[in-house]
Amino acid sequence: MATPATAAWDDLLKKIKSAPDAPTLDALEQEIFGRKQGLLTLAMKDLGSATPEERTKRGTELNRWKQTFTEAVERRREDFQSASLGSLATEDALDVTLPLPPKRHGHLHLIPEFIRSVEDIFGRMGFEVASGPEIETEENNFNLLNIPADHPARDSQDTFWLTRTGNPKKDMVLRTHTSPVQARYMQAHKPPFRIIYHGKTYRKDADATHSPMFHQFEALMVGKDISLANMKAVMTAAIRELTSKDATFRFRTGFFPFVEPGLEVDMRWQGDAAASREGDWLEIAGCGMVHPNVLTNCGINPKEWQGFAFGFGVERMIMIKHQIPDLRAFYQGDLKFLAQF
Ligand code: DAH
């Protein structure tokens, strides 16, 4: 019978020990232990034809080889397993005892958050929330509010016109302010009432304190014996609650065609005066007693009823509240900015 080619088997043993991967190791194992063609299997079968002494000697020898190969294969397989466990431990291991990373909670954007507090504050003062569309007729946006045809706000430099045929009831604009909601509401309701409304407004404007789209909130109160003193009281309470108790602000006369008398409100702020058109004071609101022409245009008798209206710039109030120097930060969607509030 053939003696095992010891040199070849030594060689096999070396191959097992240095097998580069599991499939190579499997193939070597098959080469040795394969049920039909395995080298060791065939050698064992050969023992049958050997003489009794030879069988004992060769059998012992083969058993030693069998054990050597088996151990070598096992050891190499363990090497592969611990290598893959090692990478699992550093990269993918799941340690269920580790504390979870803190959960990131989202929150409302500054603007809707502010508008909610506006609704809340005015709700407590008895104001109801009204609304109107962002695409308005020229009539509601301008005519009914006593804004004359030659007023600069009607200029195409300032306003986004959607159509321009010359018929104010049909021509549409992106509303330039929230004031058309006054016109809508007064035509549909009998006084007394007090309402608050807010939303997006549009003007062809862009710098640190102007954006082509911005938000306003506005109030209208119509009743008997309503005076400028009532207006000031409501506005002062709102400004203090919406910005700070110690807010510095001033009322000064101003002109808006839909109020008489008209006033403007400025607030002290620390913005970048060079980047905006404003100085140390930022204009935040317009206000006044509703012009008799506006009441008449909307079907309310000015001899019987009077009221006040005021409109605030939402972004500007938030800029003052949080000392934000540039209004464009509100719309850039930068989480580093938004997550601070
Ligand atoms: N609509 C004005 C604007 O956008 C702001 C304003 C001024 C609103 C006076 C009012 C008001 O209600 O009475 O500039």
Side-chain angles (χ1 to χ4, degrees), residues 12-13 16-17 25-26 28-30 32-33 66-80:
L12 267 177
L13 193 59
I16 290 170
K17 288 181 179 165
L25 185 64
D26 290 344
L28 288 166
E29 189 181 27
Q30 192 63 24
I32 298 163
F33 294 104
K66 185 179 175 188
Q67 200 177 344
T68 308
F69 281 137
T70 307
E71 280 172 11
V73 168
E74 263 173 28
R75 196 151 309 141
R76 193 68 189 135
R77 195 158 276 146
E78 275 167 17
D79 287 346
F80 293 143

Side-chain angles (χ1 to χ4, degrees), residues 120-137:
D120 177 50
I121 290 163
F122 283 89
R124 279 188 266 125
M125 291 194 270
F127 284 74
E128 274 180 42
V129 179
S131 67
E134 286 170 31
I135 294 177
E136 258 300 359
T137 60

Side-chain angles (χ1 to χ4, degrees), residues 145 147 176-180 182 197 201 203 214 216-220 231 255-259 261-264 283-290 308-313:
L145 296 173
I147 300 176
T176 59
H177 49 181
T178 42
S179 305
Q182 298 183 19
Y197 35 100
T201 55
R203 283 182 211 172
F214 59 104
Q216 290 187 336
F217 76 86
E218 189 157 335
L220 170 71
M231 181 191 84
F255 174 73
F256 300 96
F258 33 94
V259 284
L263 298 142
E264 288 179 41
E283 184 198 327
I284 52 154
C287 55
M289 298 302 291
V290 181
F308 64 75
F310 56 78
F312 279 87

